[in-house]
Amino acid sequence: MKIFIMTDMEGVAGMVNALDWTHPEGCYYEAGKRLLTMEINAAIEGFFNAGATEILVADGHGAGGINVELLDNRVMYQRGWNGPYPFGNDSSFDAIAWIGQHPKAGTEYGHICHTGSFHVIERKINGVSVGELGEEVVVSMELGVTPIFASGCLALTKEAEAIVPGIQTAVVKFGVTPGSGDECNVEKYAARNLGAVHYHPEKAREIIKKNAYDALTRFKTHPETFKLPDIKAPYTLEMVTRPEGDGKSVKYRVTHPTSIIDLLNGKGETTYEE
């Protein structure tokens, strides 16, 4: 049973904000990398205990988020991709999981919500709202890889359950900011959604380990309980961006006749709206 793990930083317990914890110049960046790596290791332990035979971990955070010296030595590590989608995922994997994932832009009561960057208000594929998790879900759908597990704040787990009914999740913190923030420009939105109540990192790892084990155990015996979204070709990506400063929002769409992966890599036809 071969597992692909996609990782990010903002969804980890104890990751208080982006500026101090997820950027190389941040005062707690190395501590943030350690916290993420230990959550990944907890999931790895759960997956191997449930019968995984091979695991690849993709470091999906923009600046890099994994301390490779602390990473479980039974797995392979990937950083750097062609495309970039599908970020190392391919049809050889049986299942995909997410660790440290944050909610999509505009998510109420999410922690450090964004989609790719703080510039995005909304991204939709064939009318289905997607964040970074959702994008990799539809990529996995094209590759025939089943999403089985995701960890992050409560809002992220609800997002995962909405796009993949039946997916196993692990809640490690709870965002406390109401509203979408759609009215914010980039600068104001980056300073939003920073309040959260966190589990202790050790408790969070226990939750992740148990649910990773349960996810793979159920996938092996009842794979039909993990439901993929019903999205079919041709594909259309619609995107709305936030203004910078006093600038204007931008709307555009990209279309591709056959491939979500090519669509997300910008190989389709792009049109802009006034």
Side-chain angles (χ1 to χ4, degrees), residues 95-209:
I96 178 173
W98 290 260
I99 304 297
Q101 188 59 61
H102 54 80
K104 63 186 177 182
T107 302
E108 186 170 36
Y109 296 113
H111 191 224
I112 321 180
C113 311
H114 62 282
T115 302
S117 74
F118 293 118
H119 290 72
V120 174
I121 292 178
E122 179 70 282
R123 282 167 72 90
K124 292 182 179 179
I125 295 177
N126 287 20
V128 178
S129 179
V130 295
E132 294 172 30
L133 180 144
E135 290 171 352
E136 195 68 23
V137 165
V138 294
V139 164
S140 298
M141 181 180 67
E142 184 167 308
L143 296 170
V145 180
T146 302
I148 64 169
F149 177 74
S151 69
C153 71
L154 175 62
L156 178 279
T157 65
K158 290 182 177 180
E159 177 185 332
E161 290 160 2
I163 196 167
V164 184
I167 192 171
Q168 192 90 16
T169 60
V171 176
V172 302
K173 56 185 174 181
F174 306 82
V176 299
T177 306
S180 67
D182 288 354
E183 73 283 359
C184 296
N185 64 13
V186 174
E187 295 79 10
K188 289 182 179 179
Y189 193 73
R192 208 177 180 280
N193 305 310
L194 300 183
V197 178
H198 302 246
Y199 280 115
H200 188 283
E202 291 180 359
K203 178 65 174 179
R205 294 167 205 157
E206 292 174 5
I207 296 169
I208 289 170
K209 178 181 175 180

Side-chain angles (χ1 to χ4, degrees), residues 4-254:
F4 179 82
I5 297 179
M6 172 56 73
T7 68
D8 212 338
M9 289 191 82
E10 291 88 352
V12 172
M15 210 73 67
V16 175
N17 60 47
L19 183 63
D20 295 326
W21 291 83
T22 72
H23 296 281
E25 63 273 20
C27 54
Y28 301 118
Y29 178 57
E30 291 302 323
K33 289 169 65 176
R34 183 180 62 80
L35 288 174
L36 168 61
T37 306
M38 299 306 287
E39 285 198 1
I40 297 167
N41 285 349
I44 290 167
E45 186 71 22
F47 286 140
F48 275 127
N49 287 350
T53 56
E54 183 177 348
I55 297 176
L56 173 66
V57 177
D59 189 341
H61 182 64
I66 295 174
N67 182 322
V68 293
E69 290 185 310
L70 295 179
L71 187 64
D72 190 307
N73 66 12
R74 292 173 290 180
V75 306
M76 300 294 286
Y77 164 87
Q78 183 168 2
R79 175 71 178 177
W81 306 273
N82 295 320
Y85 296 91
F87 292 105
N89 191 2
D90 63 43
S91 59
S92 70
F93 293 96
D94 297 292
I96 178 173
W98 290 260
I99 304 297
Q101 188 59 61
H102 54 80
K104 63 186 177 182
T107 302
E108 186 170 36
Y109 296 113
H111 191 224
I112 321 180
C113 311
H114 62 282
T115 302
S117 74
F118 293 118
H119 290 72
V120 174
I121 292 178
E122 179 70 282
R123 282 167 72 90
K124 292 182 179 179
I125 295 177
N126 287 20
V128 178
S129 179
V130 295
E132 294 172 30
L133 180 144
E135 290 171 352
E136 195 68 23
V137 165
V138 294
V139 164
S140 298
M141 181 180 67
E142 184 167 308
L143 296 170
V145 180
T146 302
I148 64 169
F149 177 74
S151 69
C153 71
L154 175 62
L156 178 279
T157 65
K158 290 182 177 180
E159 177 185 332
E161 290 160 2
I163 196 167
V164 184
I167 192 171
Q168 192 90 16
T169 60
V171 176
V172 302
K173 56 185 174 181
F174 306 82
V176 299
T177 306
S180 67
D182 288 354
E183 73 283 359
C184 296
N185 64 13
V186 174
E187 295 79 10
K188 289 182 179 179
Y189 193 73
R192 208 177 180 280
N193 305 310
L194 300 183
V197 178
H198 302 246
Y199 280 115
H200 188 283
E202 291 180 359
K203 178 65 174 179
R205 294 167 205 157
E206 292 174 5
I207 296 169
I208 289 170
K209 178 181 175 180
K210 177 187 183 302
N211 282 279
Y213 176 89
D214 290 347
L216 185 54
T217 299
R218 177 160 57 91
F219 177 63
K220 289 167 61 179
T221 56
H222 298 289
E224 73 283 356
T225 61
F226 299 86
K227 308 292 186 181
L228 287 168
D230 184 21
I231 299 176
K232 297 181 175 65
Y235 302 110
T236 300
L237 169 66
E238 299 172 277
M239 180 142 143
V240 182
T241 67
R242 300 178 192 283
E244 292 192 66
D246 297 325
K248 293 184 178 181
S249 176
V250 175
K251 297 181 181 180
Y252 66 89
R253 64 174 57 202
V254 185

